[in-house]
């Protein structure tokens, strides 16, 4: 259907117009091989399996993710195989390895991408930055993308609650003539709330900007700055954390999600309303140049180059653990851990 978002009309697909039964009928002869069982793999594969699709997992044997797949009920030799065997058996290859993993496994995968196969992504990185990743797919297969707008954990949790997370979709190469139907069918199958149209380049640009911006990078920077100011001015750790993180995540953001920012503003005190309305544009003016710089770095490919160089470093995992340890052991998030354990639901469980 066509839906107008502000001044722009976009293509949107909902479960009402494209039912699960229709999706299953379209993919009834397909074997969906999910390569990778890390971030998106578990949520997407389990949702597809629970929805009645024919799904197999491809994963490196005896790895942490292999053991996780076994715990989730996948059975070796039945629906859990090596990466190579899953590539051989699958007709739709869901390429859900990490970006670095996709680069290293590509020379192997491309040997299995013969006529009649389909290649699926949940991120536009590999093909958009193909000059850096060296991922050049064959011309006689369907290539498409469905990208849930959230983590695989959230995708699975919302699915089990009978809800759904929004996803973008894109067709990169329609060799068969019915690639779009396959794309939407997978999107419905993994539990998308609704699907909105994009392309591979726009998906990866918006995704990288979002991760580095309001979704993760910017929000952590803002949390750290406000917490530090409050502590420097003599406020206690618990007060500083509650006013910086807890009230936002536990109270205000759920209201924004349910009703919008204007509703949340109108249901706060007049003091809070006035301050927020007076200050939000100052924050926008301060951060707009940073977001412009960020988008330029992403669209130029410089950010992708840094990602690839960093992720293929043999010491990447050790460096990552050090950075995450520093974050975890900062006063801000030590306080956060204590406060989370004081929530009533923790005691009731």
């Amino acid at each position: 259907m066509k839906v107008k978002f502000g001044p722009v009309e976009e293509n949107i697909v909902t479960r009402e117009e494209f039912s699960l039964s229709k999706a299953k009928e379209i993919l009834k002869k397909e074997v969906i091989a999910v390569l990778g069982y890390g971030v998106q793999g578990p949520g997407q594969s389990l949702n597809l399996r629970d929805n009645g699709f024919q799904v197999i997992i491809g994963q490196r044997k005896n790895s942490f993710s292999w053991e996780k797949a076994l715990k989730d009920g996948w059975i070796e030799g039945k629906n859990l195989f090596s990466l190579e065997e899953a590539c051989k058996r699958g007709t739709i290859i869901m390429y859900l390895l990490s970006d670095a993993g996709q680069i290293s496994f590509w020379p192997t995968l491309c040997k299995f991408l013969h006529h009649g196969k389909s290649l699926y992504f949940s991120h536009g990185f590999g093909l958009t930055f193909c000059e850096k990743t060296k991922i050049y797919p064959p011309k006689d297969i369907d290539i498409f993308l469905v990208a849930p707008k959230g983590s695989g954990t959230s995708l699975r949790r919302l699915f089990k609650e009978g809800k759904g997370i929004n996803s973008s979709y894109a067709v990169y190469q329609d060799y068969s003539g019915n690639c779009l139907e396959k794309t939407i069918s997978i999107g419905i199958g993994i539990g998308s709330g609704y699907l909105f149209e994009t392309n591979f380049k726009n998906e990866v640009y918006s995704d990288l900007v979002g991760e580095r911006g309001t979704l993760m990078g910017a929000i952590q920077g803002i949390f750290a700055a406000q917490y530090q100011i409050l502590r420097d001015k003599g406020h206690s750790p618990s007060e500083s954390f509650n006013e910086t993180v807890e009230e936002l995540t536990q109270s205000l953001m759920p209201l924004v999600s349910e009703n919008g920012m204007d509703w949340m503003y109108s249901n706060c005190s007049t003091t809070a309303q006035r301050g927020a309305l007076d200050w939000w544009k100052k924050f926008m003016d301060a951060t707009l140049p940073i977001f412009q710089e960020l988008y330029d770095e992403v669209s130029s490919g410089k950010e992708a180059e840094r990602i690839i160089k960093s992720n293929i470093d043999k010491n990447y995992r050790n460096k990552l653990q050090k950075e995450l340890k520093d974050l975890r052991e900062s006063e801000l998030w030590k306080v956060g851990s204590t406060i989370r354990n004081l929530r009533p639901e923790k005691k009731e469980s």
Side-chain angles (χ1 to χ4, degrees), residues 10-139:
E10 299 185 36
N11 291 321
I12 299 296
V13 181
T14 67
R15 298 176 184 178
E16 287 71 30
E17 63 179 297
F18 201 108
S19 67
L20 178 60
S21 60
K22 179 179 179 179
K24 290 165 70 173
E25 177 64 23
I26 290 170
L27 300 182
K28 65 182 180 181
K29 295 182 180 179
E30 305 283 358
V31 176
I32 303 170
V34 179
L35 304 190
Y37 207 75
V39 178
Q40 282 290 335
Q44 294 197 33
S45 61
L46 290 169
N47 290 359
L48 284 165
R49 185 182 71 181
D50 289 355
N51 269 335
F53 295 85
Q54 189 175 353
V55 187
I56 63 175
I57 302 297
Q59 183 55 47
R60 293 180 179 87
K61 194 168 183 178
N62 299 323
S63 64
F64 173 81
S65 294
W66 177 277
E67 297 302 319
K68 185 177 186 301
L70 289 171
K71 290 178 183 177
D72 285 344
W74 302 98
I75 301 170
E76 182 178 356
K78 179 182 178 182
N79 49 30
L80 175 61
F81 303 95
S82 68
L83 288 165
E84 292 80 2
E85 185 64 23
C87 291
K88 181 180 178 181
R89 290 171 177 258
T91 58
I92 296 178
I93 310 298
M94 296 179 70
Y95 206 25
L96 300 183
L97 297 173
S98 67
D99 291 328
Q102 288 186 15
I103 294 170
S104 63
F105 189 68
W106 180 253
T108 300
L109 172 59
C110 65
K111 298 173 185 176
F112 296 93
L113 294 177
H114 54 72
H115 174 78
K117 296 263 189 175
S118 298
L119 181 60
Y120 167 101
F121 293 87
S122 277
H123 192 23
F125 190 94
L127 296 187
T128 300
F129 301 113
C130 57
E131 291 184 2
K132 302 179 190 304
T133 64
K134 307 306 178 185
I135 295 178
Y136 296 103
K139 301 294 184 182

Side-chain angles (χ1 to χ4, degrees), residues 105-328:
F105 189 68
W106 180 253
T108 300
L109 172 59
C110 65
K111 298 173 185 176
F112 296 93
L113 294 177
H114 54 72
H115 174 78
K117 296 263 189 175
S118 298
L119 181 60
Y120 167 101
F121 293 87
S122 277
H123 192 23
F125 190 94
L127 296 187
T128 300
F129 301 113
C130 57
E131 291 184 2
K132 302 179 190 304
T133 64
K134 307 306 178 185
I135 295 178
Y136 296 103
K139 301 294 184 182
D140 61 345
I141 64 171
D142 286 345
I143 305 172
F144 57 97
L145 168 155
V146 177
K149 298 299 105 180
S151 69
T153 302
S154 298
L155 181 73
R156 182 62 176 166
R157 175 175 56 80
L158 290 171
F159 175 85
K160 292 170 75 174
E161 292 173 359
K163 302 175 183 177
I165 202 166
N166 305 328
S167 301
S168 60
Y169 72 91
V171 171
Y172 184 86
Q173 184 169 280
D174 183 9
Y175 178 77
S176 69
N178 65 348
C179 186
L180 179 59
E181 281 195 328
K182 282 192 279 191
T183 305
I184 301 303
S185 297
I186 291 282
I188 296 298
I190 66 173
S192 302
Y194 71 80
L195 295 130
F196 61 94
E197 189 175 19
T198 187
N199 58 55
F200 273 60
K201 183 177 76 172
N202 283 354
E203 190 285 327
V204 71
Y205 285 7
S206 60
D207 188 70
L208 293 182
V209 169
E211 290 168 349
R212 285 142 186 77
T214 59
L215 301 180
M216 296 173 69
I219 198 68
Q220 164 60 19
I222 291 170
F223 282 163
Q226 180 171 304
Y227 182 86
Q228 180 179 320
I229 289 294
L230 291 173
R231 291 289 288 122
D232 288 349
K233 299 300 183 183
H235 297 267
S236 69
S238 61
E239 182 172 65
S240 300
F241 188 88
N242 273 287
E243 293 293 347
T244 299
V245 178
E246 194 75 351
E247 187 173 352
L248 174 71
T249 58
Q250 296 298 295
S251 174
L252 301 185
M253 282 299 103
L255 294 179
V256 174
S257 175
E258 292 166 13
N259 304 292
M261 186 68 80
D262 61 318
W263 189 96
M264 192 271 284
Y265 274 23
S266 67
N267 284 272
C268 289
S269 70
T270 55
T271 302
Q273 291 168 7
R274 187 67 268 140
L277 289 168
D278 288 345
W279 278 86
W280 78 262
K281 290 182 181 179
K282 294 185 180 183
F283 280 101
M284 183 184 74
D285 291 342
T287 58
L288 194 58
I290 299 174
F291 278 99
Q292 182 63 61
E293 179 186 359
L294 170 56
Y295 195 90
D296 290 345
E297 290 288 286
V298 168
S299 60
S300 69
K302 292 179 181 178
E303 187 69 17
E305 194 170 328
R306 279 196 293 272
I307 293 168
I308 293 169
K309 184 178 179 181
S310 173
N311 289 356
I312 63 175
D313 186 333
K314 63 180 180 180
N315 294 317
Y316 173 73
R317 292 290 178 185
N318 292 333
K319 292 176 182 177
L320 172 65
Q321 291 308 313
K322 170 65 168 60
E323 290 178 291
L324 295 180
K325 182 173 182 285
D326 291 344
L327 197 63
R328 183 171 58 251

